[in-house]
C-alpha cells in the first residue's frame, strides 16, 4: 500500500530554504518533554538544547551535537544539540487526527546519534514517526505511545547510515500508519483516537549508553533534514 497525497491538502511545511524562523514557527531552547526544559538526563539523553546547533544551508537543515561545558544532574558531561518544536512558538502549530506528516532525512553514522521525529502535548500524545540508532544501521523504531503500540522496520536496501530516506506517518483515528519512501511498512490497528492533537518535535538526541552506545569520542554528530510537511484530509480541512 502507498500513500495517495492527492487525497490530502497541504496545510503546513518547512522546506529549510530560509533561516530558521525562531519564535514564530519554531522554538529550540526548550520542550515540555524535557524534565529541565532544555535537558533531560532521565530519558538516557546527554542533550542540552542549543538553537545554534541547527543551521540551514542549500535547502537542508543540519543538526549538530558536540560536547558541552556543562554537567548533567547525574554527573555526566552534556552535549549541546539541536531540537525544533512547534510548542511555545507563536504559531503553535499542531498535527491532529487524520493528518499525514512526511520528512526526508539523511540518517547519521556517528555512534551515539539518536535522531527522531515525534509529537508531544500535555505530558504525552507521543507518536514517533521514527527513531534511529546507527548501532542498528538498517532499523527504524516506530512507536505509538498513545495506545502503546510499537514496531521495528528493517530494510538494508533503504535504511542505512549516511543515506537519504523519506519517512511518513498518518495519524489515523483507528490505526497509525508508517511509510518509508511512500510505501506503508506498518499499520498498528490502534490509532490515536478522534480528538488527538500534538506539537511536532524534530531533533538529534545523544545517547547516554543505557540502551544504545554513547559517543565513543568527542567528534561532532550530525543529522540532516531536507523537508518536513503536513497534509490534512480534505474532509477534515
Amino acid at each position: 500500500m502507498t500513500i495517495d497525497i492527492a487525497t490530502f491538502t497541504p496545510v503546513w511545511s518547512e522546506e529549510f530554504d530560509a533561516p530558521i524562523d525562531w519564535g514564530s514557527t519554531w522554538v529550540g531552547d526548550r520542550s515540555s518533554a524535557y524534565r529541565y526544559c532544555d535537558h533531560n538526563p532521565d530519558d538516557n539523553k546527554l542533550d542540552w538544547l542549543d538553537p545554534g546547533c541547527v543551521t540551514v544551508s542549500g535547502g537542508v537543515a543540519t543538526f549538530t551535537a558536540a560536547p558541552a561545558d556543562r554537567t548533567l544532574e547525574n554527573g555526566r558531561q552534556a552535549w549541546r544539540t539541536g531540537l525544533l518544536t512547534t510548542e511555545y512558538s507563536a504559531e503553535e502549530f499542531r498535527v491532529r487526527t487524520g493528518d499525514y506528516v512526511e520528512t526526508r532525512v539523511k540518517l547519521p553514522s556517528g555512534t551515539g546519534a539518536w535522531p527522531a521525529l515525534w509529537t508531544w502535548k500535555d505530558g504525552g500524545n507521543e507518536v514517533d514517526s521514527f527513531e534511529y540508532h546507527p548501532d542498528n544501521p538498517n532499523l527504524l523504531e516506530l512507536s505509538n505511545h498513545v495506545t502503546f503500540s510499537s514496531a521495528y522496520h528493517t530494510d538494508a536496501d533503504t535504511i542505512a547510515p549516511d543515506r537519504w530516506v523519506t519517512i511518513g506517518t498518518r495519524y489515523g483515528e483507528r490505526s497509525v500508519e508508517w511509510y518509508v519512501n511512500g510505501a506503508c511498512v506498518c499499520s498498528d490497528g490502534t490509532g490515536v483516537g478522534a480528538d488527538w492533537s500534538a506539537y511536532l518535535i524534530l531533533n538529534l538526541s545523544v545517547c547516554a549508553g543505557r540502551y544504545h552506545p554513547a559517543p565513543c569520542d568527542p567528534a561532532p554528530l550530525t543529522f540532516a533534514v531536507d523537508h518536513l510537511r503536513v497534509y490534512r484530509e480534505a474532509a477534515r480541512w
Side-chain angles (χ1 to χ4, degrees):
M1 181 174 67
T2 59
I3 189 77
D4 184 3
I5 293 295
T7 63
F8 291 78
T9 299
V11 293
W12 185 94
S13 72
E14 173 60 88
E15 303 297 327
F16 298 114
D17 51 6
I20 300 293
D21 188 4
W22 296 115
S24 179
T25 303
W26 295 113
V27 166
D29 61 353
R30 63 194 185 280
S31 167
S32 67
Y34 279 35
R35 178 180 177 184
Y36 300 101
C37 294
D38 58 2
H39 62 289
N40 189 28
D42 298 346
D43 198 25
N44 194 49
K45 293 181 176 181
L46 300 178
D47 307 11
W48 202 296
L49 302 185
D50 181 347
C53 292
V54 186
T55 58
V56 172
S57 179
V60 172
T62 300
F63 294 67
T64 302
D69 187 20
R70 293 180 180 271
T71 302
L72 299 169
E73 285 73 11
N74 58 13
R76 301 287 298 275
Q77 182 182 20
W79 281 54
R80 294 183 303 109
T81 193
L83 176 146
L84 297 177
T85 180
T86 57
E87 185 183 22
Y88 304 122
S89 71
E91 291 180 1
E92 288 198 324
F93 178 79
R94 287 182 286 174
V95 288
R96 64 193 196 197
T97 300
D99 285 359
Y100 173 73
V101 62
E102 178 186 277
T103 188
R104 182 170 179 261
V105 302
K106 186 178 184 181
L107 299 171
S109 57
T111 300
W114 180 4
L117 171 61
W118 47 303
T119 64
W120 187 263
K121 183 169 76 75
D122 299 334
N125 282 22
E126 181 180 354
V127 177
D128 300 331
S129 287
F130 80 94
E131 296 176 85
Y132 179 75
H133 301 276
D135 57 300
N136 289 327
N138 308 126
L139 182 149
L140 294 179
E141 299 175 20
L142 318 172
S143 303
N144 174 4
H145 294 277
V146 179
T147 50
F148 306 104
S149 67
S150 62
Y152 294 147
H153 172 65
T154 302
D155 184 350
D157 293 329
T158 304
I159 309 303
D162 296 321
R163 185 170 297 173
W164 285 97
V165 60
T166 300
I167 301 169
T169 308
R170 181 179 178 275
Y171 310 110
E173 179 179 349
R174 295 180 178 85
S175 186
V176 174
E177 299 166 354
W178 288 266
Y179 295 81
V180 173
N181 292 339
C184 185
V185 298
C186 179
S187 180
D188 70 2
T190 59
V192 293
D195 300 320
W196 176 88
S197 69
Y199 301 103
L200 289 168
I201 301 177
L202 179 65
N203 74 306
L204 173 61
S205 281
V206 181
C207 294
R210 181 176 180 184
Y211 305 109
H212 296 272
C216 53
D217 59 54
L221 305 171
T222 60
F223 165 57
V225 185
D226 176 69
H227 68 253
L228 178 59
R229 299 167 183 163
V230 179
Y231 301 83
R232 189 155 290 162
E233 291 177 307
R236 294 178 179 267
W237 175 241

